Amino acid sequence: MFKHRLRLLLISLLLLLGLVLAACGNEDDTTEPQDDPGETEDANKDGEGQEEEGEKEEASGPTSGGTLTGAMYSAPAGMFNPIFYEEAYEANILSFTHESLVGQNESLEFIPGLAKDWETNDDQTELTMYLEEGVKWHDGEEFTADDVVFTYKSIADPDYVAAGGIRTAYVTPLLGYEEYVNGDTDEFQGVEAVDDYTVKFKFAEPNINPLYYASFTIIPEHVFGDIPVSEMPEAPESRQPGQVIGTGPFKFSEMVEREQYVLERHDDYWQGAAYLDKIVWKVVAQSVMSGLLESGEIDFVADPNGIQPADFELVQGLGNITIIEQPDFGYQIMGFKHNHRTADDVESGTLNPDNWVPNEKLSNPEVRQAIAYAINREGLIDGLLYGRGAILNSPIAKQFWAYDESETTNYTYDPDKAASMLDELGYVDTNDDGFREDPDGNEWVLNFDYPTGNELREKSAPLIEQMLEEVGINVNLRQPKEMSAYVEDLTNDNSDWDLYLIGWSLGSADPDPTGLWGTMAAYNFSRWNNPDSEDLLKQALKAPDAFEQDYRKEVYKDWQKLYSEDLPAVILYAQNSLWAYNDRLQGVEPLPFTMYNDPHLWWVNDAE
Amino acid sequence: MYKYIIRRILVFIPMLIVLSIIIFGLAKAAPGDPFTGRMLDPTIDPKVYEQQREALGLNDPVPVQYVNWAARMITGDFGESMYYKGRSVASLIWERMPNTLYLGLFALAITLIVSIPIGIYSARNPYSIFDYGATTFGFFGLAVPNFFFGLIAIYLFAIKLGWFPSQGTITGTDVAGLQEFFDRIHHMVLPGITLGLAGTASYMRYMRSEVLDVLSSDYIRTAKAKGMSDRNVLYKHTLRNAMIPIITLMGFEFGALLSGAIITEQVFSYPGLGTLFINSITNRDYPIIMAIALLLGVTILIGNLLADIFYSIVDPRIRYD
């Protein structure tokens, strides 16, 4: 009897022991004895060397060698094919490994990239690009005009969207896109290789910004040529280190999925091999970022989040870090629902301004203006962004030539003016509940919705509610919704929404605001319907007048004035990008839209 | 016994079907779909997303979508991820599972090694200074949120002292062999302790109260009266009986092992199933949500079954026919 029990006791103890051992045993399985351990020792030596030399005087000129470690807060989804990736995290890697025909300079003009020169015909329906010769892909093959044609043909492919591609905007204006994507023809006329180093883009209609359409990242035909577009996303050539091939100064050589992404120097880079041996991207939690910068474990952090405004002073105080502070191209708004759609239109997904139902609560532009005066935007920037942001008086980024606030109404915080405007309009408190009623004496409650996901935006909602209540506006601030749910509700707007918060992150290619503020734009969540605005937006894009930037600038000036008066949304603030890097990194020349400018010229002052 | 096990396993099938319907229903009832949260780039035509919805079958009625999914499931095909383009759900789960398993087992090992001896010692010396200390530690462990403890641990041990790495599972791509093994353990220390802390506290409290309970029972008094040594009383009579609830706990722990501590994984940027699950929920990646939820369901059911079987081994009073 006792023996029996003893055995059972042993079993249960063994079980415990087994668990402990299993923890170790499983570890062992993952050990892959492939490389000789010598490599690791070398790496360690490097590490020690860096520490010692970091204290020495700065070297005078660029030296080759060294490893740089960058951080991002979320892991890339793993799609390293420029025509299929979607997120800024992949872009972090692709901006080092792949290139486009043209880039942009400080004043946002297009500059030569893989194309050294170009010309357009008179009506700007044709753009001829002359390519750099002797450019080598990472695998040693030569880059030619066929690669360009192949890239655009892939995006125009009938299977492209179903396979998960979203970049069709680059090919829709090209000649013959409709026929090709519908499968009516096998010949894509839009992009044509004239010879090995000349490629011609043909547009269906005169195009005012043809270089933008030629600025897409190029993928190699010799790698993807035999893979049908529908199978490209799962192909190892789109996701595996060593098999992702570009022309950039670094090649994607190794990864620990979702943790580390290693880029190695591409020795045959056409602009000369990079100084750095390696760039290692690590995925780290945002909460520990400043600590990692301090300890030197991370050398730089940039897009998409950079460092937090609240950490600015902390990071600046570390002493070993340089911060690049620049305005972002995007902005945060509080929108006014001018119109709602009908339930039928929402059901069928129709955008038909004729059916829209005006939102009586906000239909008077002066009411919207009064609300704008009641919002202390300066206060939001100081309080929430710690001053790391700017007021924007029109929905075009300040860095663009098109931004012009000379004739816009700028709503400087003025609660008294807001109150008196509302008084004059007849919005007064008639039943002594502390809130204004509308001119007919009815309750006037503005519903206010906002999404989660952006901490600063979340915090701004109750502050704005308070500001509006101070001038006597009854605001019904509702529970925030998670982004996916929020956008769905914002889109299906046969609802009682009045005020909403949203943020836009925008590109640097062209200031045209039609995609957000055109009446028929899906993202025109205010359902703003102003025929004058439509006219101006169309004028600004109309060939041939719009070939001249000065002409467009004038038109946009008028449009921005109109926008600020009719006010589909109050632009709350444009947050500054805060990018940071360790002082051991030299040669950084940031552009308004990226820190990764000519990374082949980056070097570290403690390389061996 | 075998009949019992087979019966239990057969009951799993309807349970899993019901579970999958509930999860599918809940996932679909949540507003938004894989594209709504992402469609905020004005350079991208929303029609593109509409075409992709159509291609993925997201426009079909929900029951049709469920049947399509279930039909594929039965053939063992978990489908393709909607967010991670071109990746199969199975490959994503296989890729993350080891990380979570190692971390979970490591944490469980820490938990058991720490909590059981302390629990026993506390129970044998109740109301001593050690016992009060252990109790305080126990409540501290239960009360302090995991993520907070994780951040403190990172700040102290990773950033200030530099003893342990704070992020990820491995230093670099260039470590191999035995070095890689130790490197991984090294990376697991902080998340493992963080994850194990809450468990340690509750196991310890359980152990203490069970041992106390058993120590005051009649058969222990009888055993002592017979002149049995304290040592024998403890190991032969007390522990066996006190272990029973711990085994139940561990049955549940099985599921927790896989789900990992979602929050702990986030804080330490530790790529496991927990982070995958959270990401998939925010991205409405239905196939992954379903697969992980089912996986958790199966492990918890199996964990409970194993716990029941061990019961009957440890405690002869329990018999299954």
Side-chain angles (χ1 to χ4, degrees), chain A residues 403-430:
Chain A
Y403 182 80
D404 189 338
E405 56 179 22
S406 59
E407 291 190 16
T408 55
T409 313
N410 301 340
Y411 297 92
T412 320
Y413 179 51
D414 192 345
D416 296 336
K417 184 165 183 179
S420 64
M421 277 177 88
L422 288 170
D423 285 344
E424 274 168 38
L425 292 166
Y427 288 84
V428 282
D429 184 8
T430 51

Side-chain angles (χ1 to χ4, degrees), chain A residues 298-309:
Chain A
I298 295 296
D299 292 315
F300 71 98
V301 59
D303 277 336
N305 297 101
I307 55 171
Q308 291 295 295

Side-chain angles (χ1 to χ4, degrees), chain A residues 307-522:
Chain A
I307 55 171
Q308 291 295 295
D311 290 340
F312 180 86
E313 300 215 332
L314 175 74
V315 173
Q316 204 176 32
L318 294 178
N320 59 339
I321 305 293
T322 304
I323 299 180
I324 305 170
E325 180 176 11
Q326 317 194 106
D328 193 53
F329 279 79
Y331 49 79
Q332 298 287 332
I333 63 164
M334 181 185 77
F336 298 108
K337 279 276 184 191
H338 283 219
N339 293 289
H340 289 112
R341 286 195 286 165
T342 61
D344 285 346
D345 278 2
V346 167
E347 181 67 29
S348 61
T350 319
L351 275 180
N352 182 356
D354 295 339
N355 296 345
W356 291 357
V357 188
N359 181 11
E360 299 296 342
K361 285 194 259 183
L362 291 168
S363 54
N364 187 340
E366 287 181 74
V367 170
R368 300 193 291 266
Q369 290 168 7
I371 292 177
Y373 278 118
I375 296 176
N376 185 356
R377 296 186 288 167
E378 200 75 58
L380 290 177
I381 291 172
D382 287 343
L384 289 178
L385 302 180
Y386 296 84
R388 307 288 143 210
I391 286 183
L392 212 56
N393 288 310
S394 94
I396 291 177
K398 270 190 178 160
Q399 301 89 307
F400 275 122
W401 46 268
Y403 182 80
D404 189 338
E405 56 179 22
S406 59
E407 291 190 16
T408 55
T409 313
N410 301 340
Y411 297 92
T412 320
Y413 179 51
D414 192 345
D416 296 336
K417 184 165 183 179
S420 64
M421 277 177 88
L422 288 170
D423 285 344
E424 274 168 38
L425 292 166
Y427 288 84
V428 282
D429 184 8
T430 51
N431 60 3
D432 287 332
D433 62 351
F435 294 113
R436 296 169 187 275
E437 276 68 47
D438 73 8
D440 298 332
N442 301 319
E443 285 252 305
W444 188 52
V445 183
L446 298 179
N447 296 317
F448 187 8
D449 289 272
Y450 66 107
T452 60
N454 177 322
E455 202 190 329
L456 299 176
R457 182 171 56 213
E458 275 174 61
K459 284 186 185 161
S460 73
L463 294 173
I464 293 170
E465 180 202 24
Q466 212 180 349
M467 292 168 191
L468 295 184
E469 290 190 339
E470 266 164 30
V471 297
I473 299 170
N474 194 351
V475 175
N476 173 24
L477 182 68
R478 293 192 277 208
Q479 285 298 313
K481 291 195 173 83
E482 172 247 6
M483 204 39 145
S484 291
Y486 183 78
V487 173
E488 186 166 277
D489 287 354
L490 196 53
T491 315
N492 298 338
D493 56 348
N494 54 326
S495 54
D496 59 351
W497 286 29
D498 300 312
L499 306 175
Y500 63 92
L501 295 185
I502 195 93
W504 297 110
S505 57
L506 302 174
S508 58
D510 194 274
D512 171 30
T514 314
L516 292 178
W517 303 108
T519 306
M520 294 299 287

Side-chain angles (χ1 to χ4, degrees), chain A residues 2 5-6 8-9 11-12 15-16 19-20 22-24 26-35 37 39-41 43-44 76-77 79 84-87 161-169 212 233-234 239 254-260 262 278 282-285 287-288 291-292 294 297 482-485 487-488 491 502-506 515-516 522-523 525, chain B residues 31-33 36-46 48-49 51-52 55 80 83-87 95-96 98-99 102 105-106 108-109 112-113 116 151 154 158-160 165-181 184-185 188 226 228 235-237 239-240 243 247 250 266-269 271 279 281-284 310 313-314 316:
Chain A
F2 265 102
R5 288 197 169 176
L6 199 67
L8 290 175
L9 182 68
I11 289 175
S12 47
L15 182 78
L16 280 182
L19 278 171
V20 176
C24 309
N26 273 321
E27 272 320 306
D28 227 4
D29 293 344
T30 59
T31 318
E32 290 157 27
Q34 40 186 16
D35 297 319
E39 259 185 54
T40 334
E41 277 162 26
N44 286 342
M79 170 55 64
F84 281 107
Y85 88 98
E86 281 186 42
E87 297 185 329
V161 171
I166 56 171
R167 309 287 170 188
T168 49
Y212 165 67
E234 61 250 43
R239 31 179 82 255
E254 276 178 296
M255 71 169 169
V256 181
E257 185 128 31
R258 310 202 64 74
E259 290 185 52
Q260 281 186 31
V262 181
K278 262 187 192 178
K282 286 191 177 171
V283 179
V284 306
S287 45
V288 298
L292 297 179
E294 182 181 11
E297 207 173 313
E482 172 247 6
M483 204 39 145
S484 291
V487 173
E488 186 166 277
T491 315
I502 195 93
W504 297 110
S505 57
L506 302 174
L516 292 178
Y523 305 118
F525 291 127
Chain B
D33 68 20
T36 44
R38 277 192 280 166
M39 48 180 281
L40 285 173
D41 182 345
T43 60
I44 291 159
D45 188 344
V48 165
Y49 290 118
Q51 275 174 277
Q52 296 188 350
E80 297 253 314
Y83 171 71
Y84 300 98
K85 281 178 212 163
R87 292 289 303 267
E95 171 194 300
R96 307 293 190 82
N99 281 342
Y102 302 153
L105 290 170
F106 188 75
L108 185 65
L112 293 179
I113 291 169
I116 290 183
L151 287 179
I154 290 178
I159 290 172
K160 284 292 151 199
S166 63
Q167 308 280 308
T169 62
I170 193 167
T171 305
T173 47
D174 46 6
V175 289
L178 202 59
Q179 221 153 3
E180 182 186 336
F181 169 71
R184 282 183 182 270
I185 295 277
M188 241 186 291
K226 282 194 299 189
M228 202 177 215
Y235 289 116
K236 287 194 177 155
H237 297 276
L239 270 190
R240 276 269 294 284
M243 283 306 283
I247 288 171
M250 278 172 53
Q266 298 275 21
V267 172
F268 291 93
S269 301
N279 286 342
I281 291 172
T282 23
N283 294 318
R284 304 287 189 279
F310 278 121
I313 297 176
V314 181

Side-chain angles (χ1 to χ4, degrees), chain B residues 62-119:
Chain B
V62 174
V64 174
Q65 291 184 42
Y66 177 79
V67 172
N68 286 343
W69 173 83
R72 264 206 321 252
M73 255 309 290
I74 289 171
T75 64
D77 177 7
F78 287 85
E80 297 253 314
S81 162
M82 294 181 178
Y83 171 71
Y84 300 98
K85 281 178 212 163
R87 292 289 303 267
S88 73
V89 173
S91 77
L92 280 162
I93 289 182
W94 277 123
E95 171 194 300
R96 307 293 190 82
M97 180 117 79
N99 281 342
T100 294
L101 271 183
Y102 302 153
L103 181 62
L105 290 170
F106 188 75
L108 185 65
I110 292 180
T111 301
L112 293 179
I113 291 169
V114 174
S115 65
I116 290 183
I118 296 184

Side-chain angles (χ1 to χ4, degrees), chain B residues 188-243:
Chain B
M188 241 186 291
V189 172
L190 288 186
I193 290 177
T194 306
L195 187 53
L197 182 73
T200 306
S202 62
Y203 274 87
M204 202 175 77
R205 298 295 300 162
Y206 261 100
M207 203 62 208
R208 177 182 179 275
S209 66
E210 283 305 319
V211 172
L212 266 183
D213 224 31
V214 175
L215 279 178
S216 62
S217 59
D218 291 341
Y219 59 87
I220 296 292
R221 201 163 342 119
T222 314
K224 282 187 177 162
K226 282 194 299 189
M228 202 177 215
S229 72
D230 270 5
R231 204 186 148 80
N232 270 344
V233 171
L234 182 66
Y235 289 116
K236 287 194 177 155
H237 297 276
T238 316
L239 270 190
R240 276 269 294 284
N241 288 299
M243 283 306 283

